[in-house]
Amino acid sequence: KTNNFDVVVVGSGGGGFSAAIEAKQAGKKVAIIEKMPTVGGNTLISGGEMNAPGNWVQKKLGIKGDSVKSYYKDTMKGGDYLGDPKMVHILANNALGSAKWLRDDIHVKFINDQLFQFGGHSYKRALIPVGHTGQELVTKLDNKAKSLKIPIYTNTKAKSLIKRNGRIVGVKARYQDKKNVTFNAKKAVILTTGGFGSNVKMRTKYNKEYDKRYKSTDTAGTMGDGIVMAQNVGAKLTNMKYIQTYPIANPKTGMISLLADTRFDGAILVNQQGKRFVEELERRDVISKAILKQTGGYTYQIWNDKIDGISKTKAAHKAEYNELIKEGLLYKADTIDELAKDFKIDPATLKATIKKVNHYAKTGNDKDFHHRAGLVSLAKGPYYIEKAVPSVHHTMGGLVINEKTEVLNEKGKAIPGLYAAGELTGVIQGSNRLGGNAIADIITFGRIAGKTAGKL
Ligand code: ADP
């Protein structure tokens, strides 16, 4: 079967939807193809938070001083200066505009009186969608795509790119692993297939460390397909060895713990000995490595009701809360003694640790690990303790794109007809992506890809 379009978008995460919507609004005949039975990719199961310097919630909360420049600096530094400065500038300059687009054009609802400050950021600048997950984003993007009558071919896996006279002119795909389908693209193929966190073979090809000992927070579809397809037509890859683990994930399933987002509002991390060992707002790679060095390679995260009152994650992630309790990975306790007993931590040491935390909370000076937001008092229960391990979360490396999202070949020249945006690109996040930067990246560059294709 053959289908003819102007623009074919491969992958229906946040990047793919943004590209398809922009291209369609520019008057192109657009299709999205998605290999899974449902849309959304990792965007759907993510926390959905999005950095936007100078945003409206910062204004409402009286948070002053944030700027495009500060966000740019944090992102570059967070990725050890391996991001492409020109591309990171585009991200920083457009993040707020992307957030406003989601809010005003896509009708995404962001919580209007709460923000997250993820590790590595100088300010609380991440907007939180209602429900604290990517579901709000994907639902609204999907609604918009439907209202624009963009066809979405699910269960349709792109297998290879069609190249004719040096130009990418379409995609060969399989429907439900039964039928071959060809999608011709008169103007552009836009790859938005996400990273390769679920592909153990591909992970170890580029970095031996991340073998099957690590579970992944990613969906089963996160196999690096787009990177390989582009590579097969000459695309250059970069930063492939940089694979990010999310420090706080379920030790049994590898799933990200969104309940544990209390960490951004004062939850502490301790080891089996009951001692803190890292600044809780450090970069993900630093915290992950520190956790793996502790006894058993795991950590306990501890917080109280006061902290939950700030982050409100218990209400937002009820299902996860109940699941962790059921699995014996989370306990609620009234006293620190009980809390310690639940995981056989020495109560005296844990009490001493928490006493210090309370003191540092009062003085505003964490003398041990210099908590950048200031610690919060854990003097009053009830308390929560959750066991967690690092899990593969984001692959920073991927395709080299330019400011128009054209995919570049080994010689640095654009491959005609081929565009990419989102996690499969490797030029934005450097060696380490900061929290809240994936959504900002995929929406910003997804839209640029769609607009670029819209002008062809
Ligand atoms: P991003 O955040 O970059 O938008 P996501 O992980 O949210 O990435 O979305 C990527 C989407 O692409 C997922 O829904 C995934 O199932 C889909 N996908 C991956 N490989 C293919 C493929 N070969 N053909 C079609 N869809 C694909």
Side-chain angles (χ1 to χ4, degrees), residues 49-118:
E49 289 88 9
M50 172 181 198
N51 296 316
N55 68 57
W56 60 95
V57 183
Q58 286 180 327
K59 289 207 176 92
K60 180 165 172 180
L61 298 179
I63 296 167
K64 292 198 184 82
D66 196 9
S67 64
V68 166
K69 204 166 161 193
S70 164
Y71 175 44
Y72 169 82
K73 276 193 185 161
D74 287 347
T75 301
M76 285 300 289
K77 182 167 180 240
D80 295 314
Y81 303 96
L82 288 170
D84 176 343
K86 168 176 97 252
M87 299 300 281
V88 179
H89 269 301
I90 295 175
L91 170 71
N93 278 321
N94 287 281
L96 179 59
S98 301
K100 286 183 177 164
W101 179 74
L102 283 178
R103 183 191 66 183
D104 300 336
D105 287 35
I106 310 300
H107 308 301
V108 167
K109 285 206 169 66
F110 291 104
I111 295 171
N112 65 12
D113 59 356
Q114 192 187 355
L115 294 167
F116 275 161
Q117 178 171 7
F118 287 108

Side-chain angles (χ1 to χ4, degrees), residues 55 82-83 85 139 147 184 215 245 354 382 394 396 399 424 441:
N55 68 57
L82 288 170
T139 304
S147 77
N184 291 321
K215 294 192 167 66
T245 53
I354 290 180
H394 190 97
M396 271 68 66
L399 306 178
L424 88 162
D441 172 356

Side-chain angles (χ1 to χ4, degrees), residues 108-299:
V108 167
K109 285 206 169 66
F110 291 104
I111 295 171
N112 65 12
D113 59 356
Q114 192 187 355
L115 294 167
F116 275 161
Q117 178 171 7
F118 287 108
H121 288 282
S122 304
Y123 294 90
K124 274 197 181 205
R125 59 164 72 105
L127 296 160
I128 309 168
V130 296
H132 293 230
T133 78
Q135 174 124 37
E136 169 70 9
L137 308 181
V138 171
T139 304
K140 298 293 168 66
L141 286 164
D142 192 31
N143 286 348
K144 185 73 179 187
K146 281 198 182 98
S147 77
L148 291 170
K149 299 197 166 55
I150 298 170
I152 304 178
Y153 296 81
T154 52
N155 291 307
T156 303
K157 180 176 179 173
K159 303 288 271 185
S160 62
L161 297 166
I162 306 167
K163 197 172 185 178
R164 204 172 294 138
N165 302 326
R167 196 187 158 79
I168 303 305
V169 294
V171 176
K172 281 192 180 152
R174 289 277 286 171
Y175 173 70
Q176 285 196 334
D177 219 4
K178 283 186 206 128
K179 230 169 43 191
N180 290 330
V181 198
T182 298
F183 290 85
N184 291 321
K186 224 188 280 170
K187 305 285 184 190
V189 171
I190 304 176
L191 297 174
T192 52
T193 51
F196 58 97
S198 294
N199 189 334
V200 178
K201 224 171 147 188
M202 189 160 171
R203 268 164 29 192
T204 49
K205 175 173 174 186
Y206 293 103
N207 191 327
K208 291 210 165 50
E209 165 71 15
Y210 298 101
D211 60 18
K212 63 179 190 311
R213 288 173 304 164
Y214 289 85
K215 294 192 167 66
S216 174
T217 65
D218 293 348
T219 62
T222 314
M223 296 293 284
D225 297 358
I227 296 174
V228 175
M229 281 188 279
Q231 196 183 19
N232 287 341
V233 296
K236 179 183 162 92
L237 308 187
T238 188
N239 288 333
M240 290 300 284
K241 69 174 178 206
Y242 298 111
I243 293 174
Q244 175 173 81
T245 53
Y246 191 81
I248 311 297
N250 183 319
K252 292 188 183 162
T253 62
M255 262 171 75
I256 189 167
S257 177
L258 296 175
L259 181 76
D261 282 350
T262 48
R263 181 164 58 93
F264 310 120
D265 292 307
I268 59 162
L269 300 176
V270 302
N271 59 18
Q272 185 59 51
Q273 287 73 37
K275 291 189 173 155
R276 284 175 75 216
F277 55 90
V278 69
E279 190 221 340
E280 288 80 358
L281 289 187
E282 251 294 2
R283 289 163 35 160
R284 292 171 175 180
D285 54 347
V286 175
I287 298 178
S288 295
K289 277 185 194 142
I291 291 172
L292 293 173
K293 279 200 200 121
Q294 308 307 308
T295 308
Y298 54 80
T299 184

Side-chain angles (χ1 to χ4, degrees), residues 10-16 33-36 40-43 156-158 192-194 221 225 229 421-423 442:
V10 186
S12 68
I33 68 175
E34 166 58 55
K35 71 174 171 181
M36 305 300 275
N42 282 325
T43 306
T156 303
K157 180 176 179 173
T192 52
T193 51
D225 297 358
M229 281 188 279
E423 192 180 342
I442 66 174

